[in-house]
């Protein structure tokens, strides 16, 4: 679906439908809604008076215009209480509108105003970004494997802004929202793909293709190159797989920023996690196709960062590996030596994410990063602690942690901090090697992060455990459909814009 911006009066805009809004408790609408109401001879006022539409958040009402205005329909969308509306409410309202119209058979092209930039007083560019995000995120479908396509009938959404003065801000906001939403779609596509299609070589190839389109530098290391560099902790995980592991490196270095210390994003890219020799139980194993959700988020974020040409150097890496049981597979009790020379004892081959990240975190030290943020579907425990509401945040640097919390509030992709006390290291001390890859259940979230921290090399670092966030068995609001959520992209773009 296309999204555009024009200057004009939405009441006079010709299209299959125009979208205007209403706050809860308003009986006589003003602004664009008021103008449309007047043109319709008070139809909206009468609808409110009837009690059939109250402006409650996420509610909608569809009206037919009987040729009183150029548009064939008016969709009213409720914004809830004016004092409570924020950019997340705007995103949701735009998503509800898009979703409602996608189901309305006769609507192909529609127009909308920017919700919230009027009396609610939200920042125009931010509200416009939210409108674009909500609109595009709501119409995502992963139907490539169904021969009968349930096509989304929508082909365009035009954002109509009355004020000439605000047009530049609206255009900039919509552009930003569009770049971010399309990148979220990329991530959702990657996470949705089945593991027989999206194995490490394919994941890296798709990322490279994206990089070429966007103008990012890309490098992929195969197993031979990784062996030469001593990335043997990562390679141990790949031993049982017939699919070659790949280490992906994407770089955004805009002119004038080539030599600055980069922000590094590092993703866990396990294209399928059987658990290896520490085999997982069968019933829910299919879900482990989303075990590359961290890599997916990094790839999506790099796409948006490149398209937006953010004025900052950012490097994204992803450790792409398949974790399979096999006669050649690594085993519990194996001891492996990684890139830094540090040794690790394998307690569970199912704690493979921290292993592939160990060498990724060692590798990125060469970039002299200003900060490193890793994203990983690392533990089942994070979902026990936080449900599917917030991802887990672990950091050894207060400024980075605060920047991530701020990005989490700004993007709506929420995080919650966990402790990183030195005492948590006790659980991962090994009798045989320097560390072991599982510290048991008690405090297992913090000890998993301590394992990762052990392989960082002095730079500010944060770990996001997003195992609970990358996939949802039900729709989480109109902008987040069932299935792959694309979590992390909005958050990382916000972070890269702020630090
Ligand atoms: N990919 C899983 C984590 C996971 C579990 C994600 C459930 C989403 C849903 C990870 O590799 C894993 O298996 N973690 C183990 C670690 C344990 C063996 C220390 C876990 O959480 O059980
Ligand atoms: Mn595992
Ligand atoms: Zn895993």
């Amino acid at each position: 679906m296309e999204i555009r911006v024009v200057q004009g009066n939405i009441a006079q805009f010709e299209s299959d439908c125009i979208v205007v809004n209403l706050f809860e408790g308003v009986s006589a609408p003003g602004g664009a809604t008021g103008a449309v109401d007047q043109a319709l001879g008070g139809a909206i006022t009468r609808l409110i008076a009837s009690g059939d539409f109250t402006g409650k958040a996420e509610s909608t009402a569809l009206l037919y215009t009987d040729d009183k205005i150029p548009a064939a329909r008016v969709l009213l969308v409720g914004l809830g209480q004016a004092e409570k509306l924020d950019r997340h409410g705007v995103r949701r309202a735009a998503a509800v509108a898009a979703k409602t119209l996608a189901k309305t058979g006769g609507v192909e092209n529609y127009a909308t105003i920017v919700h919230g930039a009027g009396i609610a007083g939200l920042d125009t560019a931010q509200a416009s970004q939210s409108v674009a995000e909500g609109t595009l995120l709501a119409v995502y479908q992963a139907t490539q494997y169904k021969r009968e396509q349930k096509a989304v009938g929508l082909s365009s959404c035009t954002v109509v802004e009355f004020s000439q003065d605000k047009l530049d801000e609206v255009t900039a906001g919509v552009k930003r929202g569009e770049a971010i939403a399309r990148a979220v779609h990329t991530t959702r596509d990657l996470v949705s793909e089945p593991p027989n299609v999206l194995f490490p070589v394919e994941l890296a190839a798709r990322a490279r293709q994206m990089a070429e389109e966007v103008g990012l530098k890309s490098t992929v290391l195969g197993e031979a190159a990784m062996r030469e560099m001593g990335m043997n902790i990562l390679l141990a995980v790949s031993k049982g797989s017939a699919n070659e592991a790949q280490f992906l490196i994407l770089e955004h270095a805009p002119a004038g920023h080539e030599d600055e210390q980069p922000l590094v994003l590092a993703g866990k890219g396990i294209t399928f996690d059987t658990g290896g020799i520490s085999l997982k139980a069968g019933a829910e194993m299919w879900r482990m196709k989303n075990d590359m959700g961290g890599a997916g988020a990094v790839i999506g974020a790099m796409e948006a960062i490149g398209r937006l040409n953010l004025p900052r150097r950012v490097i994204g890496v992803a450790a792409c590996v398949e974790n399979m049981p096999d006669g050649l597979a690594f085993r519990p009790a194996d001891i492996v030596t990684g890139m830094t020379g540090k040794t690790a004892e394998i307690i569970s081959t199912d704690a493979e994410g921290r292993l592939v990240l160990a060498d990724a975190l060692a590798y990125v030290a060469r970039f002299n990063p200003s900060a490193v943020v890793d994203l990983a579907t690392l533990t089942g425990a994070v979902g026990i602690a936080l449900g599917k509401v917030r991802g887990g945040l672990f950091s050894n640097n207060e400024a980075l942690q605060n920047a991530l919390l701020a990005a989490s509030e700004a993007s709506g992709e929420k995080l919650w901090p966990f402790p990183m006390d030195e005492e948590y290291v006790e659980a991962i001390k090994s009798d045989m090697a320097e560390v072991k890859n599982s510290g048991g259940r008690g405090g297992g979230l913090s000890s998993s992060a301590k394992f990762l921290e052990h392989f960082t090399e002095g730079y500010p670092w944060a770990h996001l455990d997003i195992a609970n966030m990358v996939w949802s068995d039900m729709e989480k609001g109109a902008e987040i459909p069932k299935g792959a959520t694309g979590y992390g992209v909005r958050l990382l773009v916000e972070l890269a814009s702020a630090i």
Side-chain angles (χ1 to χ4, degrees):
M1 183 164 82
E2 225 186 299
I3 188 151
R4 329 183 180 104
V5 178
V6 301
Q7 191 274 324
N9 175 357
I10 197 159
Q12 295 310 319
F13 194 82
E14 188 179 338
S15 96
D16 299 325
C17 187
I18 57 172
V19 179
V20 291
N21 60 48
L22 193 76
F23 284 108
E24 214 167 340
V26 172
S27 52
T33 311
V36 173
D37 184 40
Q38 251 177 22
L40 297 182
I44 296 175
T45 308
R46 287 196 296 280
L47 180 68
I48 300 166
S50 75
D52 292 354
F53 188 75
T54 61
K56 197 165 148 290
E58 300 185 45
S59 66
T60 60
L62 189 65
L63 287 81
Y64 294 86
T65 61
D66 300 327
D67 297 327
K68 290 184 181 125
I69 60 173
R73 303 169 186 78
V74 174
L75 183 75
L76 266 171
V77 53
L79 296 182
Q81 292 167 28
E83 327 73 80
K84 285 199 185 152
L85 185 71
D86 58 13
R87 53 202 284 194
H88 310 308
V90 172
R91 188 189 299 109
R92 177 65 55 82
V96 166
K99 207 143 200 192
T100 305
L101 294 178
K103 288 185 206 142
T104 307
V107 176
E108 199 180 315
N109 301 294
Y110 75 98
T112 183
I113 54 168
V114 176
H115 310 298
I119 38 172
L122 299 184
D123 177 81
T124 301
Q126 284 183 4
S128 306
Q129 178 185 334
S130 289
V131 166
E133 284 178 3
T135 302
L136 294 170
L137 291 177
V139 298
Y140 178 79
Q141 286 188 319
T143 53
Q144 64 269 42
Y145 294 102
K146 302 213 187 209
R147 287 183 299 172
E148 243 172 71
Q149 297 281 325
K150 253 203 292 163
V152 172
L154 300 178
S155 62
S156 78
C157 171
T158 305
V159 179
V160 181
E161 173 55 47
F162 186 70
S163 157
Q164 186 68 51
D165 294 347
K166 286 186 172 178
L167 204 61
D168 285 350
E169 273 180 85
V170 173
T171 305
V174 166
K175 276 232 161 76
R176 185 176 167 91
E178 176 175 12
I180 292 169
R182 297 214 187 279
V184 173
H185 283 197
T186 297
T187 302
R188 287 178 181 174
D189 282 344
L190 293 173
V191 174
S192 301
E193 284 289 18
N196 59 328
V197 172
L198 198 87
F199 42 89
V201 167
E202 179 67 13
L203 177 54
R206 291 197 190 188
R208 284 197 97 155
Q209 194 189 330
M210 176 283 287
E212 200 161 301
E213 280 169 30
V214 175
L216 302 171
K217 223 169 88 185
S218 72
T219 314
V220 176
L221 308 180
E223 289 191 357
M226 286 191 264
R227 199 160 298 118
E228 214 155 279
M229 305 188 70
M231 299 171 85
N232 292 314
I233 301 184
L234 183 157
L235 288 169
V237 178
S238 189
K239 279 179 71 188
S241 173
N243 288 304
E244 190 187 353
Q246 305 273 279
F247 193 78
L248 167 74
I249 305 139
L250 302 171
E251 178 167 3
H252 169 68
H257 298 268
E258 295 93 340
D259 298 322
E260 79 187 8
Q261 286 187 280
L263 166 65
V264 171
L265 310 173
K268 167 179 172 181
I270 301 294
T271 59
F272 195 69
D273 180 15
T274 62
I277 297 299
S278 312
L279 195 64
K280 285 186 180 295
E284 295 283 295
M285 197 193 279
W286 66 272
R287 292 181 185 280
M288 287 301 117
K289 73 169 185 175
N290 70 38
D291 212 20
M292 36 59 69
V298 169
I299 293 165
M302 291 304 295
E303 175 179 333
I305 287 164
R307 281 204 204 282
L308 294 167
N309 199 19
L310 293 189
R312 171 188 224 310
R313 187 168 170 225
V314 186
I315 294 176
V317 302
C320 309
V321 186
E322 186 181 48
N323 187 19
M324 298 288 277
D326 176 81
L328 294 174
F330 77 133
R331 329 157 182 77
D334 281 1
I335 293 179
V336 283
T337 308
M339 211 181 153
T340 56
K342 292 174 184 167
T343 60
E345 182 183 14
I346 309 304
I347 298 301
S348 169
T349 64
D350 198 11
E352 84 298 338
R354 61 198 77 178
L355 296 174
V356 301
L357 284 174
D359 275 331
L361 291 169
Y363 181 89
V364 300
R366 72 186 50 216
F367 299 124
N368 183 26
S370 62
V372 176
V373 179
D374 77 66
L375 290 92
T377 50
L378 207 73
T379 68
V382 75
I384 304 299
L386 298 175
K388 286 181 174 287
V389 179
R390 289 176 186 260
L393 164 60
F394 307 77
S395 182
N396 59 12
N397 183 284
E398 203 179 319
L400 180 58
Q401 169 152 324
N402 288 337
L404 276 157
L405 288 172
S408 126
E409 292 314 312
S411 65
E413 294 194 319
K414 296 185 208 169
L415 292 171
W416 195 254
F418 282 87
M420 285 292 282
D421 302 86
E422 226 19 65
E423 289 92 320
Y424 288 111
V425 170
E426 290 305 316
I428 54 164
K429 284 197 171 147
S430 160
D431 292 336
M432 295 296 298
E434 287 156 24
V435 280
K436 57 183 179 183
N437 78 333
S438 171
R441 285 165 65 85
L445 277 165
S446 291
S447 66
S448 71
K450 280 294 182 191
F451 182 91
L452 294 174
E453 186 187 28
H454 181 71
F455 293 90
T456 63
E457 300 274 297
Y459 46 71
W461 158 83
H463 157 59
L464 310 184
D465 191 339
I466 61 171
N468 54 339
M469 301 307 287
V470 300
W471 189 268
S472 178
D473 290 334
M474 49 187 176
E475 181 180 304
K476 284 170 125 178
E479 74 279 14
I480 305 183
K482 187 174 161 182
T485 61
Y487 179 89
V489 175
R490 280 159 38 197
L491 174 79
L492 292 176
V493 173
E494 200 61 48
L495 180 75
S497 305
I499 69 168

